Amino acid sequence: MQPVIEKIERNTNQSFAIRKFTDPCPQGIFHYHEELEIAYVINAKGKRFISGVLEEFDAGDLVLIGKNTPHYYQIDENSINYDILVIHFKEDFMGLTLKEIPELNPFYKLCKKATRGIQFKGARLEALQNLMLKIYNLPSEKRLTALIELFNLLVETEEYRIIGVSINEEHSDSNNLLRINSVYSFVSNNYSNKINLKDIARVISMTESAFCRFFKKITRKTFFNYLNEFRIKKASKELLISEKNIALIAEECGYPNIANFNYQFKRVMKCSPSAYRNKFFKP
């Protein structure tokens, strides 16, 4: 799936956009935009995909997403009273870039990490959520001051998690990020099926040899190492949340050969699938 560019609309009397989404979009649209994004899930659940990682989210989730970072939110169709509050702002929305404003340099450094998505947690999370709601409810002429306050509070929040797959920052320009995220999206949607180099190279219009060099340069690992790690993480989660037999989980995660699954699982998780399950569910 190739990401599509989204044009963010904002009022002419605002330097940034803040919107509350109340109309769920269950299928999710894989997209990117030149604005950075702060998304606070007030009331919804589903799955979100950022920088190679597809994971579940629930009410309270608060994430910072870097500019030109492809992502999507897939809302659970059973979500009731759907509400997501989103702030979009360009890096130079105040006339200068964040890097050029000394007082915002710490926030600029945080935004650099956000090309992989950042999820905020811990004691300051409630304060961040309340401040976003405050910004939404303020008149437009008072919002900018509160937004700067939000930037500073994000910087001061020590409990956060980088969401996405690690990449080589030396080669993380916009074009490369779009390409690698197209690969990640393809894997996320097709990991249960057989994936060969020809299929994946075609996603970003490369030859197989060129794709292998590109992927290794960006991620510092081979494509098939990444694919195996992705599949095994899916399998490890399924082992804990379901009572399916191991062979079925292996097949659903792209391993029709149980012996290969057991080998790959032990290589990534350092134990067998059955031992992993038994750690959490004692007979």
Side-chain angles (χ1 to χ4, degrees):
M1 186 191 334
Q2 294 283 356
V4 297
I5 188 167
E6 179 185 9
K7 181 175 174 56
I8 304 297
E9 302 291 341
R10 60 178 174 83
N11 295 333
T12 55
N13 65 338
Q14 288 183 240
S15 57
F16 64 96
I18 180 166
R19 296 176 291 175
K20 184 185 285 188
F21 293 90
T22 57
D23 184 20
C25 182
Q27 74 277 13
I29 298 173
F30 193 37
H31 67 284
Y32 66 99
H33 35 73
E34 60 179 323
E35 291 84 0
L36 292 99
E37 175 176 316
I38 307 172
Y40 164 35
V41 178
I42 300 171
N43 195 357
K45 63 178 181 178
K47 296 180 180 179
R48 55 169 158 70
F49 179 86
I50 303 174
S51 189
V53 174
L54 179 66
E55 59 187 14
E56 295 178 355
F57 70 86
D58 210 331
D61 188 57
L62 197 148
V63 170
L64 172 64
I65 304 173
K67 66 177 184 178
N68 295 320
T69 299
H71 58 282
Y72 67 78
Y73 279 69
Q74 188 171 355
I75 307 302
D76 189 327
E77 293 181 348
N78 296 321
S79 285
I80 302 174
N81 299 324
Y82 169 92
D83 277 304
I84 295 184
L85 188 59
V86 181
I87 295 174
H88 289 113
F89 58 95
K90 292 184 179 180
E91 196 173 22
D92 61 351
F93 79 107
M94 290 192 292
L96 298 173
T97 66
L98 296 172
K99 185 179 182 180
E100 294 171 320
I101 302 174
E103 293 84 354
L104 291 181
N105 200 252
F107 182 64
Y108 165 75
K109 292 177 180 177
L110 186 68
C111 290
K112 291 280 287 182
K113 298 179 183 178
T115 54
R116 293 163 55 197
I118 301 174
Q119 180 189 38
F120 293 88
K121 305 186 294 181
R124 292 181 183 265
L125 179 59
E126 185 176 355
L128 291 168
Q129 296 166 340
N130 290 337
L131 187 48
M132 284 192 68
L133 289 169
K134 175 184 174 181
I135 294 169
Y136 179 74
N137 291 313
L138 282 171
S140 58
E141 66 272 15
K142 295 184 178 181
R143 283 177 169 172
L144 181 58
T145 303
L147 181 64
I148 302 302
E149 184 182 348
L150 177 64
F151 290 169
N152 289 327
L153 189 56
L154 287 168
V155 170
E156 293 168 5
T157 303
E158 296 180 353
E159 293 181 73
Y160 65 81
R161 179 177 67 90
I162 303 296
I163 297 170
V165 177
S166 177
I167 60 173
N168 186 345
E169 294 188 4
E170 293 179 14
H171 304 287
S172 61
D173 60 75
S174 296
N175 288 334
N176 283 342
L177 287 175
L178 291 177
R179 283 177 168 179
I180 201 67
N181 276 285
S182 294
V183 172
Y184 292 157
S185 178
F186 182 89
V187 169
S188 176
N189 287 291
N190 296 278
Y191 67 90
S192 59
N193 304 317
K194 182 178 180 180
I195 299 176
N196 56 45
L197 277 178
K198 184 178 180 181
D199 293 332
I200 195 64
R202 189 185 296 123
V203 171
I204 54 175
S205 303
M206 285 185 173
T207 65
E208 294 173 38
S209 58
F211 171 79
C212 289
R213 291 193 298 271
F214 166 78
F215 195 90
K216 185 73 176 288
K217 178 178 71 174
I218 300 297
T219 67
R220 297 192 177 99
K221 64 179 68 175
T222 70
F223 171 71
F224 286 108
N225 277 344
Y226 165 74
L227 178 60
N228 277 318
E229 289 172 5
F230 186 95
R231 285 170 165 166
I232 294 304
K233 286 178 182 177
K234 287 289 181 184
S236 64
K237 183 175 182 179
E238 196 65 26
L239 284 166
L240 300 184
I241 66 173
S242 81
E243 297 181 356
K244 296 176 184 176
N245 67 61
I246 292 174
L248 178 58
I249 291 174
E251 187 172 354
E252 290 177 345
C253 291
Y255 294 101
N257 184 310
I258 187 65
N260 184 37
F261 172 70
N262 287 333
Y263 171 78
Q264 297 294 348
F265 194 97
K266 192 168 185 179
R267 184 182 66 84
V268 175
M269 305 301 293
K270 311 305 180 188
C271 66
S272 70
S274 56
Y276 182 81
R277 176 177 262 176
N278 289 336
K279 282 182 182 179
F280 299 90
F281 298 104
K282 302 289 186 184

